[in-house]
Amino acid sequence: MSTKKTLFDKVWDSHVVKHVEDGPDVLFIDRHLVHEVTSPVAFLGIKNRKSGVLFPNKTFATADHNTPTINQHLPVADPLSANQLKALEENAKEHGILHWGLGHEKNGIVHVVGPEYGITQPGATIVCGDSHTSTHGAFGAIAFGIGTSEVEMVLSTQCIMQPKPKKMRINIEGELNFGVTPKDAALYIISKLTTSGATGYFVEYAGDVFENMTMEGRMTVCNLSIEMGARGGMIAPDEKTFEYVKGREFTPKGAAWDKAMAYWETLKTDEGAIFDKELTFNAADIEPMITYGTNPGMGMGISKSIPNAEDLDGGVATYKKSLGYMAFNEGDNMIGKPIDFVFIGSCTNGRIEDFRAFTSIVKGRKKADNVTAWLVPGSHKVEAAIKEEGLLAILTEAGFELREPGCSACLAMNDDKVPAGKLAVSTSNRNFEGRQGPGSRTLLASPLVAAAAAVTGKVTDPRELMTA
Amino acid sequence: MAYEKFEILNSTAVPLPIENVDTDQIIPARFLKATERKNFGDNLFRDWRYNGDDTPKSDFVLNNPTYSGKILVGGKNFGSGSSREHAAWAVYDYGFRCVISSFFADIFKGNCLNIGVLPVQVSTEFAAKIFDAIKEDPKTEISVNLPEQTVTLVKTGEKESFDINGYKKQNMLNGYDDIDYLNNIKTDISEFAKELPL
Ligand code: SF4
């Protein structure tokens, strides 16, 4: 066997406590993120088994999925949501786990606050009871979502048991076109691979496009890895990564920093290391993307028309059902379709760079009257930056309001639900039936496409509103 | 939470020949607000099963008395989407012990194995055969044999074997879960932790 290792191998192998014969690896977890929805049953489990939390300082809790995005200072109106938030607070307190609950200055979406405070680090294994944990792979960490039984395992033993996934490398070569964002690159890859194309694999993104991307952009890409079925995705850490991580609250300092750096600098795929699958795309082929169906793989360049069922391989009935739900027809153009809602936010596109992009288009324009817009920062830190950088003034001038942080309309567990039949352009990650509220219809897109829709009231190519 | 052991399951099956059934369909997010694992079966496929006013949709398969059983047969890429174990709980709590599909999403499959639902992945052809057999006779009996790792259409004897990791198989046969295993090696884990760089 070759001794050449991929980035993924290096991090995974160094965290294997033990390999179970004919079974999975026991994988040690460096950082465990917890939120209110997928943790209560796990805490009940450790109570029933009387096992306690083995390393409370490796678990971090924040409330996000259920939280209201207005009037966060008031008691939460929905009793069930309030109950989950209270359970998280009590569980964290009982076990000595750091908890950033609703109203805390560091509160925000779990995958936004992790990197912001340096909990996310290169070479770490990071899990959370949430599939978009893949976000943290942007730092060269192995990060993926787990189920509640596994949340319990991590609480009580700091380990989970999983077979090592296969490895895939995805390269994009060249330079992204004008108006094309990391979100578009990710939606493009998913449209090529379908939502199951990377199932069983852990992805490493490589090549010019990812190297040139900001850390925020890399997070957007890694975040969406799960939407092509992958366990997770990662990008080798580089100067940009170390620069981002340095000096944050939970990153190592002094001698510990030097020790960490010595480890982090080894984190790249060896030349000649073997991947089970390797794909290469060309950046020049990617234009701003939009989805038209009910899974993230049903996406296309914004100037294209909806494919005919006959031109796809298989699944005609499912495809037609999906278009039926969306009330679209084969051959339709997306451009010009009137929309009702715009949502910018989520762990995919709720960071400061996304609000900068959104604002760059709405600046000097007005929100369309037919559009309800929800602008939801990923965290209080993002919210503060929006204000400090003067974006809020521009947004207000254009007729937009900023809400308070949380997952919001990404999964519509709180009151931010798109009503049945209404069409939303959303910067989030899933366009499943009813994802944004029962009967809601979702078009996934970048913050630029969302902004263009917000000011024109219909699906619009953002490049028309941008100056090169 | 321990679950019922799984050995041989002979049952009729409920067909759901739709591809990419995602976790938001299996259990919509708004039903994830509980702090205990209770009654998730009631909301399995909630929005496909009930109208907005909670009346059952008569054309959905779970509301059709012709079909019943402890096996759910789904289309390709079953369980895509979120990591919510609630989706697997809903399947189990409704009364299914086995899901057959020609392809499963990763996390969903792992969650099923952790809570006692057996995910059986068959070839596209065999999945089509099962759907056809049920279409012809809704009372078609299917036998899922875990020790042998086979799934059989009882009437015709047509059979296919399926994969399962040996360790997970033992767990399913005994009703054990990974938590028991890990709790027993905590000392090794703590030793290991001392050597890690982060
Ligand atoms: S923003 Fe959406 S995808 Fe991200 S953690 Fe929240 S609910 Fe999950």
Side-chain angles (χ1 to χ4, degrees), chain A residues 49 78 84 148-149 231 413, chain B residues 32-33 81 85 106 177 180:
Chain A
R49 295 190 204 229
D78 177 344
Q84 271 191 338
T148 296
S149 295
R231 280 329 304 276
M413 269 188 87
Chain B
L32 310 184
K33 295 190 178 183
E85 197 167 295
D106 249 1
D177 60 25
D180 300 324

Side-chain angles (χ1 to χ4, degrees), chain A residues 35 64-65 109-112 128-133 135 223 227 343 345-349 406-413 428-430 435, chain B residues 82 84:
Chain A
H35 62 83
D64 55 7
H65 281 61
I109 302 173
V110 60
H111 310 310
V112 176
C128 172
D130 184 283
S131 56
H132 293 96
T133 308
T135 313
N223 171 282
E227 306 308 338
F343 170 58
S346 87
C347 58
T348 310
N349 284 124
C407 293
S408 179
C410 175
L411 91 167
M413 269 188 87
S428 56
N429 41 59
R430 287 187 178 139
R435 169 80 176 185
Chain B
S82 118
R84 64 183 71 147

Side-chain angles (χ1 to χ4, degrees), chain A residues 98-382:
Chain A
L98 192 72
H99 172 239
W100 298 338
L102 186 62
H104 191 287
E105 56 168 4
K106 294 176 187 164
N107 175 257
I109 302 173
V110 60
H111 310 310
V112 176
V113 299
E116 278 177 344
Y117 293 94
I119 297 167
T120 307
Q121 294 173 18
T125 48
I126 304 174
V127 296
C128 172
D130 184 283
S131 56
H132 293 96
T133 308
S134 58
T135 313
H136 309 267
F139 292 80
I142 289 184
F144 55 90
I146 56 175
T148 296
S149 295
E150 291 167 311
V151 173
E152 183 181 341
M153 292 174 214
V154 181
L155 289 172
S156 62
T157 70
Q158 206 61 35
C159 287
I160 56 165
M161 302 184 70
Q162 291 216 351
K164 189 175 174 181
K166 290 184 285 186
K167 291 157 289 182
M168 181 189 292
R169 182 158 59 187
I170 298 179
N171 307 281
I172 302 186
E173 276 157 15
E175 213 176 305
L176 291 177
N177 291 321
F178 172 68
V180 176
T181 68
K183 176 69 164 286
D184 301 303
L187 286 176
Y188 176 83
I189 299 171
I190 303 166
S191 76
K192 295 290 171 201
L193 266 79
T194 79
T195 50
S196 58
T199 301
Y201 292 90
F202 211 97
V203 173
E204 179 179 344
Y205 299 97
D208 311 339
V209 164
F210 304 110
E211 277 165 30
N212 293 332
M213 244 177 221
T214 60
M215 288 313 295
E216 283 86 358
R218 293 178 187 180
M219 285 188 250
T220 299
V221 169
C222 289
N223 171 282
L224 289 163
S225 306
I226 182 75
E227 306 308 338
M228 51 183 115
R231 280 329 304 276
M234 67 200 301
I235 295 174
D238 57 10
E239 281 311 314
K240 227 181 267 177
T241 319
F242 306 138
E243 194 51 42
Y244 183 102
V245 167
K246 198 165 190 174
R248 297 192 183 248
E249 186 171 341
F250 290 92
T251 39
K253 312 268 162 14
W257 171 266
D258 297 337
K259 189 176 158 215
M261 271 302 284
Y263 169 50
W264 294 344
E265 281 175 341
T266 66
L267 297 175
K268 40 173 106 32
T269 292
D270 296 332
E271 195 126 354
I274 313 269
F275 288 84
D276 299 283
K277 196 167 184 177
E278 182 131 18
L279 297 172
T280 300
F281 299 104
N282 192 341
D285 296 340
I286 310 176
E287 65 166 334
M289 297 284 294
I290 194 151
T291 65
Y292 53 83
T294 56
N295 71 58
M298 298 174 77
M300 61 183 185
I302 195 163
S303 66
K304 307 256 163 38
S305 50
I306 298 179
N308 290 321
E310 292 77 59
D311 299 338
L312 304 162
D313 357 311
V316 171
T318 302
Y319 184 75
K320 293 203 166 176
K321 177 177 182 289
S322 176
L323 288 191
Y325 178 87
M326 293 301 292
F328 295 154
N329 297 306
E330 295 164 51
D332 279 7
N333 288 326
M334 293 305 293
I335 289 190
K337 287 206 187 284
I339 57 127
D340 309 293
F341 282 76
V342 165
F343 170 58
I344 167 160
S346 87
C347 58
T348 310
N349 284 124
R351 284 172 286 270
I352 185 63
E353 191 177 81
D354 304 311
F355 284 89
R356 287 186 198 132
F358 186 87
T359 309
S360 72
I361 285 192
V362 307
K363 186 173 184 179
R365 299 191 166 92
K366 289 280 179 214
K367 183 183 81 60
D369 290 337
N370 60 316
V371 169
T372 304
W374 289 326
L375 277 53
V376 186
S379 69
H380 279 304
K381 210 176 172 113
V382 174

Side-chain angles (χ1 to χ4, degrees), chain A residues 3 25 30 58 62 66 71 95 165 241 266-267 310 427 432 457:
Chain A
T3 51
D25 288 338
D30 293 316
K58 294 187 189 294
T62 179
N66 248 324
N71 294 325
H95 296 286
T241 319
T266 66
L267 297 175
E310 292 77 59
T427 66
F432 298 153

